[in-house]
Amino acid sequence: MTATTTAPDLERATLDKAASENFPVAPFFLPRDWRDDLMAVYGFARLVDDIGDGDLAPGGADAELLGVSATEADDRLLLLDAFEADLRRVFDATPSHPLLRRLQPVVRRRALTPEPFLGLIAANRQDQLVTRYETYDDLLAYCELSANPVGRLVLAVTGTSTPERIRLSDAICTALQIVEHLQDVAEDFGRDRIYLPAEDMKRFHVTETDLSAKTAGASMRALVAYEAQRARDLLNEGAPLVGSVHGRLKLLLAGFVAGGRAAVRAIAAAEYDVLPGPPKPGKVQLLREAGVILRGEG
């Protein structure tokens, strides 16, 4: 490890990113043990995304911890393979990376399985190999790896998993992923990634050149509105999950659904022009949406 970057520094730098996420990771109102365990899960998810996006801290300390040499530290696929190998040690040995060592007692305490963690790694591996999606079904298959495992882990950590809750959670998580893709069209295009299905782009007469414009034209706005409605429908499909649980978990899940709905409203308020930057909802709108959900009105 580099002399200037210690394992605790790396761990803290990753966990501190929770404050800037679109949705609360481990809000204050949750029981302390839930907060701690959800933060450990977040640390894993954030790190694997940073590997996949090339956003690791400079200096190569993460790569060194994973046994990847400095000369190969820019090889994202190699890093993901090394990270998967270290993840597998969480379940049967002692991992090397501090974020995975933090995760290990959570895995044992909550009886978590490797599958959702492997799904998140697979999604980031796919991001290195697949930069366009032909159909909406192709995009849904990607969300099954990139988003749905997060909701499944929340249910597992809180001891509330059932097949029906997992189904509803998957709908919410896929919706949130689609919303994030819509907010980040310009940023993703800058990374040479397009998460708008190619068949839909053709249907609305949107070309890749249109994605590099400073502002969206009518066709692009119509396409974004179409995809936003899909996300809204999925949020509505998954919303009964909130009513199926009680107490503080209900508040957390209401916050997820409300965040998605408020983000869709923000996109609509921007007249579906997402190219100048991601439309973000205000706190008042978020609280209003959460109130509607908690009152069982929507």
Side-chain angles (χ1 to χ4, degrees):
M1 192 182 306
T2 64
T4 57
T5 307
T6 66
D9 289 338
L10 286 176
E11 189 176 9
R12 178 47 48 197
T14 299
L15 295 176
D16 282 349
K17 294 181 181 180
S20 61
E21 297 291 344
N22 283 338
F23 303 97
V25 174
F28 70 92
F29 56 77
L30 292 180
R32 178 63 183 269
D33 61 330
W34 284 8
R35 294 203 313 271
D36 290 347
D37 289 358
L38 289 172
M39 280 302 295
V41 169
Y42 169 79
F44 169 88
R46 181 69 268 163
L47 184 59
V48 73
D49 279 353
D50 286 348
I51 293 172
D53 291 338
D55 290 337
L56 290 175
D62 287 293
E64 185 177 343
L65 281 164
L66 295 172
V68 176
S69 68
T71 58
E72 298 176 305
D74 291 331
D75 187 332
R76 298 181 194 177
L77 285 171
L78 183 63
L79 279 172
L80 288 168
D81 287 346
F83 191 58
E84 179 177 329
D86 208 29
L87 168 70
R88 292 185 183 278
R89 285 190 280 273
V90 168
F91 294 88
D92 60 16
T94 302
S96 299
H97 200 284
L99 286 168
L100 293 180
R101 289 201 296 271
R102 173 185 284 258
L103 182 65
Q104 189 169 50
V106 180
V107 163
R108 292 172 176 170
R109 185 163 53 248
R110 306 295 184 181
L112 304 182
T113 63
E115 284 72 25
F117 300 105
L118 292 171
L120 293 172
I121 293 174
N124 279 275
R125 191 176 282 121
Q126 186 165 314
D127 276 334
Q128 313 312 311
L129 305 171
V130 180
T131 60
R132 306 291 189 274
Y133 291 85
E134 181 61 30
T135 69
Y136 181 59
D137 284 344
D138 291 339
L139 185 64
L140 292 181
Y142 170 74
C143 292
E144 176 68 22
L145 298 173
S146 66
N148 298 359
V150 175
R152 295 182 180 205
L153 284 167
V154 170
L155 293 176
V157 165
T158 58
T160 54
S161 292
T162 67
E164 177 62 7
R165 284 179 180 147
I166 288 172
R167 184 185 72 80
L168 296 172
S169 171
D170 286 353
I172 293 169
C173 291
T174 291
L176 296 179
Q177 181 77 88
I178 291 172
V179 170
E180 185 175 335
H181 287 160
L182 294 178
Q183 291 175 313
D184 294 341
V185 165
E187 179 183 338
D188 289 335
F189 189 62
R191 297 179 187 267
D192 191 31
R193 296 177 187 169
I194 299 176
Y195 296 102
L196 298 165
E199 65 178 9
D200 295 342
M201 291 177 64
K202 293 171 187 173
R203 174 181 173 184
F204 286 91
H205 308 289
V206 172
T207 68
E208 291 195 12
T209 302
D210 295 325
L211 304 185
S212 62
K214 298 291 186 183
T215 187
S219 295
M220 178 67 184
R221 292 172 191 246
L223 170 60
V224 172
Y226 178 73
E227 305 299 349
Q229 183 59 52
R230 281 176 153 167
R232 188 181 292 113
D233 291 344
L234 283 168
L235 286 168
N236 291 341
E237 179 185 337
L241 176 65
V242 177
S244 78
V245 299
H246 304 284
R248 299 177 188 184
L249 180 58
K250 187 169 188 171
L251 290 176
L252 179 66
L253 298 182
F256 290 150
V257 178
R261 286 181 174 174
V264 171
R265 286 187 184 275
I267 292 170
E271 297 180 338
Y272 301 101
D273 185 3
V274 296
L275 295 183
K280 300 284 188 177
K283 287 187 177 179
V284 172
Q285 183 63 52
L286 181 59
L287 291 171
R288 184 179 295 123
E289 294 286 350
V292 168
I293 294 163
L294 290 169
R295 290 192 301 270
E297 298 171 3

